PDB file of all heavy atoms in Angstrom:
ATOM      1  N   SER A 270      -6.495-107.722 -18.259  1.00 95.00           N
ATOM      2  CA  SER A 270      -7.272-108.511 -17.301  1.00 95.00           C
ATOM      3  C   SER A 270      -7.127-109.982 -17.657  1.00 95.00           C
ATOM      4  O   SER A 270      -6.730-110.323 -18.770  1.00 95.00           O
ATOM      5  CB  SER A 270      -8.736-108.096 -17.297  1.00 95.00           C
ATOM      6  OG  SER A 270      -9.324-108.329 -18.557  1.00 95.00           O
ATOM      7  N   MET A 271      -7.449-110.839 -16.680  1.00 96.00           N
ATOM      8  CA  MET A 271      -7.139-112.248 -16.911  1.00 96.00           C
ATOM      9  C   MET A 271      -8.095-113.154 -16.162  1.00 96.00           C
ATOM     10  O   MET A 271      -8.754-112.722 -15.201  1.00 96.00           O
ATOM     11  CB  MET A 271      -5.721-112.525 -16.435  1.00 96.00           C
ATOM     12  CG  MET A 271      -5.584-112.410 -14.912  1.00 96.00           C
ATOM     13  SD  MET A 271      -3.929-112.072 -14.356  1.00 96.00           S
ATOM     14  CE  MET A 271      -3.874-110.317 -14.619  1.00 96.00           C
ATOM     15  N   GLY A 272      -8.142-114.385 -16.586  1.00 97.00           N
ATOM     16  CA  GLY A 272      -8.918-115.384 -15.875  1.00 97.00           C
ATOM     17  C   GLY A 272      -8.333-116.755 -16.124  1.00 97.00           C
ATOM     18  O   GLY A 272      -7.681-116.996 -17.132  1.00 97.00           O
ATOM     19  N   TRP A 273      -8.542-117.608 -15.151  1.00 98.00           N
ATOM     20  CA  TRP A 273      -8.203-119.025 -15.308  1.00 98.00           C
ATOM     21  C   TRP A 273      -9.505-119.825 -15.282  1.00 98.00           C
ATOM     22  O   TRP A 273     -10.340-119.616 -14.385  1.00 98.00           O
ATOM     23  CB  TRP A 273      -7.280-119.496 -14.174  1.00 98.00           C
ATOM     24  CG  TRP A 273      -5.866-119.055 -14.314  1.00 98.00           C
ATOM     25  CD1 TRP A 273      -5.276-117.969 -13.737  1.00 98.00           C
ATOM     26  CD2 TRP A 273      -4.855-119.697 -15.093  1.00 98.00           C
ATOM     27  NE1 TRP A 273      -3.961-117.897 -14.106  1.00 98.00           N
ATOM     28  CE2 TRP A 273      -3.673-118.934 -14.940  1.00 98.00           C
ATOM     29  CE3 TRP A 273      -4.815-120.828 -15.904  1.00 98.00           C
ATOM     30  CZ2 TRP A 273      -2.469-119.290 -15.571  1.00 98.00           C
ATOM     31  CZ3 TRP A 273      -3.628-121.168 -16.528  1.00 98.00           C
ATOM     32  CH2 TRP A 273      -2.478-120.411 -16.348  1.00 98.00           C
ATOM     33  N   TYR A 274      -9.650-120.698 -16.241  1.00 98.00           N
ATOM     34  CA  TYR A 274     -10.814-121.563 -16.366  1.00 98.00           C
ATOM     35  C   TYR A 274     -10.343-123.018 -16.309  1.00 98.00           C
ATOM     36  O   TYR A 274      -9.165-123.305 -16.535  1.00 98.00           O
ATOM     37  CB  TYR A 274     -11.526-121.323 -17.702  1.00 98.00           C
ATOM     38  CG  TYR A 274     -12.185-119.982 -17.820  1.00 98.00           C
ATOM     39  CD1 TYR A 274     -11.439-118.825 -18.005  1.00 98.00           C
ATOM     40  CD2 TYR A 274     -13.575-119.865 -17.768  1.00 98.00           C
ATOM     41  CE1 TYR A 274     -12.046-117.586 -18.119  1.00 98.00           C
ATOM     42  CE2 TYR A 274     -14.196-118.629 -17.898  1.00 98.00           C
ATOM     43  CZ  TYR A 274     -13.418-117.500 -18.082  1.00 98.00           C
ATOM     44  OH  TYR A 274     -14.034-116.283 -18.186  1.00 98.00           O
ATOM     45  N   ARG A 275     -11.284-123.899 -16.050  1.00 98.00           N
ATOM     46  CA  ARG A 275     -10.951-125.316 -16.115  1.00 98.00           C
ATOM     47  C   ARG A 275     -12.132-126.095 -16.684  1.00 98.00           C
ATOM     48  O   ARG A 275     -13.280-125.676 -16.580  1.00 98.00           O
ATOM     49  CB  ARG A 275     -10.567-125.869 -14.743  1.00 98.00           C
ATOM     50  CG  ARG A 275     -11.700-125.919 -13.731  1.00 98.00           C
ATOM     51  CD  ARG A 275     -11.153-126.349 -12.367  1.00 98.00           C
ATOM     52  NE  ARG A 275     -12.202-126.411 -11.352  1.00 98.00           N
ATOM     53  CZ  ARG A 275     -11.961-126.593 -10.062  1.00 98.00           C
ATOM     54  NH1 ARG A 275     -10.702-126.747  -9.618  1.00 98.00           N
ATOM     55  NH2 ARG A 275     -12.956-126.650  -9.193  1.00 98.00           N
ATOM     56  N   GLN A 276     -11.796-127.225 -17.274  1.00 98.00           N
ATOM     57  CA  GLN A 276     -12.814-128.087 -17.838  1.00 98.00           C
ATOM     58  C   GLN A 276     -12.456-129.540 -17.543  1.00 98.00           C
ATOM     59  O   GLN A 276     -11.416-130.029 -17.988  1.00 98.00           O
ATOM     60  CB  GLN A 276     -12.955-127.868 -19.347  1.00 98.00           C
ATOM     61  CG  GLN A 276     -14.131-128.610 -19.944  1.00 98.00           C
ATOM     62  CD  GLN A 276     -14.469-128.129 -21.339  1.00 98.00           C
ATOM     63  OE1 GLN A 276     -13.649-127.505 -22.013  1.00 98.00           O
ATOM     64  NE2 GLN A 276     -15.686-128.397 -21.787  1.00 98.00           N
ATOM     65  N   ALA A 277     -13.324-130.175 -16.772  1.00 96.00           N
ATOM     66  CA  ALA A 277     -13.157-131.588 -16.461  1.00 96.00           C
ATOM     67  C   ALA A 277     -13.927-132.412 -17.488  1.00 96.00           C
ATOM     68  O   ALA A 277     -14.867-131.911 -18.116  1.00 96.00           O
ATOM     69  CB  ALA A 277     -13.668-131.877 -15.053  1.00 96.00           C
ATOM     70  N   PRO A 278     -13.558-133.670 -17.669  1.00 92.00           N
ATOM     71  CA  PRO A 278     -14.266-134.514 -18.648  1.00 92.00           C
ATOM     72  C   PRO A 278     -15.763-134.567 -18.380  1.00 92.00           C
ATOM     73  O   PRO A 278     -16.201-134.788 -17.251  1.00 92.00           O
ATOM     74  CB  PRO A 278     -13.620-135.888 -18.443  1.00 92.00           C
ATOM     75  CG  PRO A 278     -12.274-135.599 -17.903  1.00 92.00           C
ATOM     76  CD  PRO A 278     -12.439-134.379 -17.043  1.00 92.00           C
ATOM     77  N   GLY A 279     -16.539-134.319 -19.431  1.00 95.00           N
ATOM     78  CA  GLY A 279     -17.978-134.378 -19.309  1.00 95.00           C
ATOM     79  C   GLY A 279     -18.626-133.185 -18.646  1.00 95.00           C
ATOM     80  O   GLY A 279     -19.835-133.177 -18.426  1.00 95.00           O
ATOM     81  N   LYS A 280     -17.821-132.166 -18.334  1.00 96.00           N
ATOM     82  CA  LYS A 280     -18.356-130.979 -17.664  1.00 96.00           C
ATOM     83  C   LYS A 280     -18.099-129.740 -18.498  1.00 96.00           C
ATOM     84  O   LYS A 280     -17.242-129.720 -19.373  1.00 96.00           O
ATOM     85  CB  LYS A 280     -17.727-130.826 -16.281  1.00 96.00           C
ATOM     86  CG  LYS A 280     -18.088-131.943 -15.313  1.00 96.00           C
ATOM     87  CD  LYS A 280     -17.608-131.614 -13.916  1.00 96.00           C
ATOM     88  CE  LYS A 280     -18.041-132.682 -12.921  1.00 96.00           C
ATOM     89  NZ  LYS A 280     -17.593-132.371 -11.541  1.00 96.00           N
ATOM     90  N   GLN A 281     -18.850-128.696 -18.175  1.00 97.00           N
ATOM     91  CA  GLN A 281     -18.659-127.429 -18.862  1.00 97.00           C
ATOM     92  C   GLN A 281     -17.433-126.708 -18.327  1.00 97.00           C
ATOM     93  O   GLN A 281     -17.021-126.900 -17.177  1.00 97.00           O
ATOM     94  CB  GLN A 281     -19.901-126.546 -18.675  1.00 97.00           C
ATOM     95  CG  GLN A 281     -21.122-127.013 -19.446  1.00 97.00           C
ATOM     96  CD  GLN A 281     -22.249-125.999 -19.397  1.00 97.00           C
ATOM     97  OE1 GLN A 281     -22.371-125.240 -18.438  1.00 97.00           O
ATOM     98  NE2 GLN A 281     -23.065-125.971 -20.434  1.00 97.00           N
ATOM     99  N   ARG A 282     -16.862-125.871 -19.170  1.00 97.00           N
ATOM    100  CA  ARG A 282     -15.747-125.037 -18.726  1.00 97.00           C
ATOM    101  C   ARG A 282     -16.269-124.040 -17.688  1.00 97.00           C
ATOM    102  O   ARG A 282     -17.322-123.427 -17.874  1.00 97.00           O
ATOM    103  CB  ARG A 282     -15.133-124.300 -19.918  1.00 97.00           C
ATOM    104  CG  ARG A 282     -13.820-123.614 -19.613  1.00 97.00           C
ATOM    105  CD  ARG A 282     -13.176-123.075 -20.883  1.00 97.00           C
ATOM    106  NE  ARG A 282     -12.819-124.148 -21.817  1.00 97.00           N
ATOM    107  CZ  ARG A 282     -12.089-123.950 -22.911  1.00 97.00           C
ATOM    108  NH1 ARG A 282     -11.630-122.742 -23.204  1.00 97.00           N
ATOM    109  NH2 ARG A 282     -11.816-124.956 -23.714  1.00 97.00           N
ATOM    110  N   GLU A 283     -15.506-123.881 -16.619  1.00 98.00           N
ATOM    111  CA  GLU A 283     -15.932-122.981 -15.557  1.00 98.00           C
ATOM    112  C   GLU A 283     -14.805-122.022 -15.184  1.00 98.00           C
ATOM    113  O   GLU A 283     -13.619-122.367 -15.282  1.00 98.00           O
ATOM    114  CB  GLU A 283     -16.349-123.774 -14.308  1.00 98.00           C
ATOM    115  CG  GLU A 283     -15.241-124.597 -13.682  1.00 98.00           C
ATOM    116  CD  GLU A 283     -15.645-125.236 -12.363  1.00 98.00           C
ATOM    117  OE1 GLU A 283     -16.716-124.921 -11.820  1.00 98.00           O
ATOM    118  OE2 GLU A 283     -14.854-126.064 -11.868  1.00 98.00           O
ATOM    119  N   LEU A 284     -15.211-120.841 -14.726  1.00 98.00           N
ATOM    120  CA  LEU A 284     -14.243-119.859 -14.249  1.00 98.00           C
ATOM    121  C   LEU A 284     -13.754-120.274 -12.871  1.00 98.00           C
ATOM    122  O   LEU A 284     -14.546-120.517 -11.965  1.00 98.00           O
ATOM    123  CB  LEU A 284     -14.883-118.473 -14.186  1.00 98.00           C
ATOM    124  CG  LEU A 284     -14.003-117.364 -13.621  1.00 98.00           C
ATOM    125  CD1 LEU A 284     -12.805-117.084 -14.529  1.00 98.00           C
ATOM    126  CD2 LEU A 284     -14.825-116.093 -13.419  1.00 98.00           C
ATOM    127  N   VAL A 285     -12.449-120.307 -12.718  1.00 98.00           N
ATOM    128  CA  VAL A 285     -11.834-120.645 -11.439  1.00 98.00           C
ATOM    129  C   VAL A 285     -11.420-119.380 -10.692  1.00 98.00           C
ATOM    130  O   VAL A 285     -11.690-119.240  -9.502  1.00 98.00           O
ATOM    131  CB  VAL A 285     -10.603-121.553 -11.663  1.00 98.00           C
ATOM    132  CG1 VAL A 285      -9.861-121.799 -10.352  1.00 98.00           C
ATOM    133  CG2 VAL A 285     -11.010-122.864 -12.308  1.00 98.00           C
ATOM    134  N   ALA A 286     -10.772-118.467 -11.401  1.00 98.00           N
ATOM    135  CA  ALA A 286     -10.287-117.238 -10.770  1.00 98.00           C
ATOM    136  C   ALA A 286     -10.144-116.166 -11.835  1.00 98.00           C
ATOM    137  O   ALA A 286      -9.820-116.467 -12.983  1.00 98.00           O
ATOM    138  CB  ALA A 286      -8.940-117.475 -10.083  1.00 98.00           C
ATOM    139  N   GLY A 287     -10.361-114.918 -11.437  1.00 98.00           N
ATOM    140  CA  GLY A 287     -10.238-113.820 -12.374  1.00 98.00           C
ATOM    141  C   GLY A 287      -9.621-112.614 -11.712  1.00 98.00           C
ATOM    142  O   GLY A 287      -9.690-112.444 -10.487  1.00 98.00           O
ATOM    143  N   MET A 288      -8.978-111.782 -12.511  1.00 96.00           N
ATOM    144  CA  MET A 288      -8.429-110.528 -12.014  1.00 96.00           C
ATOM    145  C   MET A 288      -8.746-109.443 -13.029  1.00 96.00           C
ATOM    146  O   MET A 288      -8.443-109.590 -14.217  1.00 96.00           O
ATOM    147  CB  MET A 288      -6.916-110.613 -11.806  1.00 96.00           C
ATOM    148  CG  MET A 288      -6.294-109.298 -11.335  1.00 96.00           C
ATOM    149  SD  MET A 288      -4.504-109.387 -11.067  1.00 96.00           S
ATOM    150  CE  MET A 288      -4.456-110.230  -9.490  1.00 96.00           C
ATOM    151  N   SER A 289      -9.346-108.354 -12.561  1.00 94.00           N
ATOM    152  CA  SER A 289      -9.713-107.258 -13.445  1.00 94.00           C
ATOM    153  C   SER A 289      -8.512-106.367 -13.714  1.00 94.00           C
ATOM    154  O   SER A 289      -7.448-106.506 -13.113  1.00 94.00           O
ATOM    155  CB  SER A 289     -10.832-106.437 -12.809  1.00 94.00           C
ATOM    156  OG  SER A 289     -10.316-105.707 -11.710  1.00 94.00           O
ATOM    157  N   GLY A 290      -8.711-105.383 -14.603  1.00 92.00           N
ATOM    158  CA  GLY A 290      -7.640-104.453 -14.888  1.00 92.00           C
ATOM    159  C   GLY A 290      -7.227-103.610 -13.692  1.00 92.00           C
ATOM    160  O   GLY A 290      -6.090-103.154 -13.611  1.00 92.00           O
ATOM    161  N   SER A 291      -8.131-103.434 -12.736  1.00 93.00           N
ATOM    162  CA  SER A 291      -7.824-102.662 -11.530  1.00 93.00           C
ATOM    163  C   SER A 291      -7.182-103.506 -10.448  1.00 93.00           C
ATOM    164  O   SER A 291      -6.787-102.982  -9.408  1.00 93.00           O
ATOM    165  CB  SER A 291      -9.100-102.031 -10.974  1.00 93.00           C
ATOM    166  OG  SER A 291     -10.001-103.035 -10.554  1.00 93.00           O
ATOM    167  N   GLY A 292      -7.121-104.809 -10.692  1.00 92.00           N
ATOM    168  CA  GLY A 292      -6.479-105.695  -9.727  1.00 92.00           C
ATOM    169  C   GLY A 292      -7.421-106.434  -8.796  1.00 92.00           C
ATOM    170  O   GLY A 292      -6.969-107.236  -7.983  1.00 92.00           O
ATOM    171  N   SER A 293      -8.709-106.175  -8.913  1.00 96.00           N
ATOM    172  CA  SER A 293      -9.639-106.899  -8.054  1.00 96.00           C
ATOM    173  C   SER A 293      -9.741-108.343  -8.528  1.00 96.00           C
ATOM    174  O   SER A 293      -9.637-108.626  -9.718  1.00 96.00           O
ATOM    175  CB  SER A 293     -11.006-106.239  -8.047  1.00 96.00           C
ATOM    176  OG  SER A 293     -11.557-106.230  -9.345  1.00 96.00           O
ATOM    177  N   THR A 294      -9.924-109.239  -7.583  1.00 97.00           N
ATOM    178  CA  THR A 294      -9.948-110.666  -7.894  1.00 97.00           C
ATOM    179  C   THR A 294     -11.283-111.297  -7.496  1.00 97.00           C
ATOM    180  O   THR A 294     -11.993-110.787  -6.622  1.00 97.00           O
ATOM    181  CB  THR A 294      -8.816-111.407  -7.177  1.00 97.00           C
ATOM    182  OG1 THR A 294      -8.946-111.206  -5.766  1.00 97.00           O
ATOM    183  CG2 THR A 294      -7.462-110.907  -7.634  1.00 97.00           C
ATOM    184  N   ASN A 295     -11.586-112.396  -8.132  1.00 98.00           N
ATOM    185  CA  ASN A 295     -12.749-113.187  -7.759  1.00 98.00           C
ATOM    186  C   ASN A 295     -12.422-114.653  -7.972  1.00 98.00           C
ATOM    187  O   ASN A 295     -11.596-114.991  -8.836  1.00 98.00           O
ATOM    188  CB  ASN A 295     -13.984-112.784  -8.568  1.00 98.00           C
ATOM    189  CG  ASN A 295     -13.828-112.987 -10.054  1.00 98.00           C
ATOM    190  OD1 ASN A 295     -13.114-112.238 -10.713  1.00 98.00           O
ATOM    191  ND2 ASN A 295     -14.468-114.014 -10.588  1.00 98.00           N
ATOM    192  N   TYR A 296     -13.029-115.495  -7.155  1.00 98.00           N
ATOM    193  CA  TYR A 296     -12.743-116.916  -7.176  1.00 98.00           C
ATOM    194  C   TYR A 296     -14.030-117.734  -7.112  1.00 98.00           C
ATOM    195  O   TYR A 296     -15.018-117.311  -6.500  1.00 98.00           O
ATOM    196  CB  TYR A 296     -11.869-117.302  -5.966  1.00 98.00           C
ATOM    197  CG  TYR A 296     -10.509-116.673  -5.969  1.00 98.00           C
ATOM    198  CD1 TYR A 296     -10.289-115.440  -5.341  1.00 98.00           C
ATOM    199  CD2 TYR A 296      -9.440-117.284  -6.603  1.00 98.00           C
ATOM    200  CE1 TYR A 296      -9.037-114.853  -5.349  1.00 98.00           C
ATOM    201  CE2 TYR A 296      -8.183-116.701  -6.611  1.00 98.00           C
ATOM    202  CZ  TYR A 296      -7.999-115.484  -5.985  1.00 98.00           C
ATOM    203  OH  TYR A 296      -6.750-114.899  -6.001  1.00 98.00           O
ATOM    204  N   ALA A 297     -13.978-118.895  -7.726  1.00 98.00           N
ATOM    205  CA  ALA A 297     -15.068-119.855  -7.552  1.00 98.00           C
ATOM    206  C   ALA A 297     -15.082-120.284  -6.085  1.00 98.00           C
ATOM    207  O   ALA A 297     -14.028-120.394  -5.449  1.00 98.00           O
ATOM    208  CB  ALA A 297     -14.865-121.056  -8.461  1.00 98.00           C
TER     209      ALA A 297
END
């Protein structure tokens, strides 16, 4: 399974997109 996160200056790291082991996806 996987996810992409991002962190802008002065901000917390946030989840941008994820994919589970079954292939389902979720997005910010």
